Amino acid sequence: MSISTFFKSLIDDFIYTIFPSLCLMCNEDQPVKDGILCFHCLSSLPLTDHFEIRENDALEHFEGRIQISQAASLLYFQKDSDIQNLLHNLKYKGQDSIGTFFGQRIAEKMEKSPYFVNPDVIVPIPIHTKKERIRGYNQSTLIANGISDVLKIPVVDDVLIKSTNTGSQTSLHRSERVKNVTNSFEILDQSAFSGRHILLVDDVLTTGATLEVAAQQLLTCNPSKISVVTLAIAR
Ligand SMILES: [Zn+2]
């Protein structure tokens, strides 16, 4: 072994020890891009066509319920899939880089979309401060930050807040979810979004109940319009 090869392998070993290349989607030990996904997972992401189609199944969740200008999710989500694993790693395993990474991918899709107009402000769906303290972050804020990196639009995460801790919604139906989250959001500054186009951001679109209730609160601020993006949509 030459000295340069020796040092190279030493550096590789060192980097590997500091940054183990575990794919955050399939959890396999593979070479990963940007410390996130292996080549296989990156090339087989279940992408939606929402950014190319105006009347898509994300927007459908809100039709007849609330005025949402445009909606899109980046990925399809199924139970017991690798995407569920990815979202679990984002939400509960401290893998915050997943949020920023996919936020950036959402923004790239928005830039190419004929239907998405750049918003004035990005608002993540808040979680209760107690939950955020335990988790260390709000996963929707991470996604919003990734979008902001690319579009250079500010994230405002201190006006719409979650004032009641509503607990898990997973076992509830849509109407129960709406009931459960109604009045759980609060606006701290009514003038903050007046006349502005808000992009509301969440991690997963399941029934749309949380986004609907949050958007209802935001409408009391008289924004010019509200658009919605999420990292994934359940099907
Ligand atoms: Zn993988």
Side-chain angles (χ1 to χ4, degrees), residues 23-28 30 32 37-42 82:
C23 172
L24 298 180
M25 193 161 135
C26 65
N27 286 352
E28 300 271 339
Q30 302 265 16
V32 291
L37 302 185
C38 71
F39 176 76
H40 172 76
C41 286
L42 202 58
D82 284 346

Side-chain angles (χ1 to χ4, degrees), residues 92-107:
Y92 304 111
K93 298 277 176 174
Q95 301 292 356
D96 50 349
S97 53
I98 295 172
T100 330
F101 177 82
F102 281 100
Q104 291 166 352
R105 305 292 85 76
I106 289 171

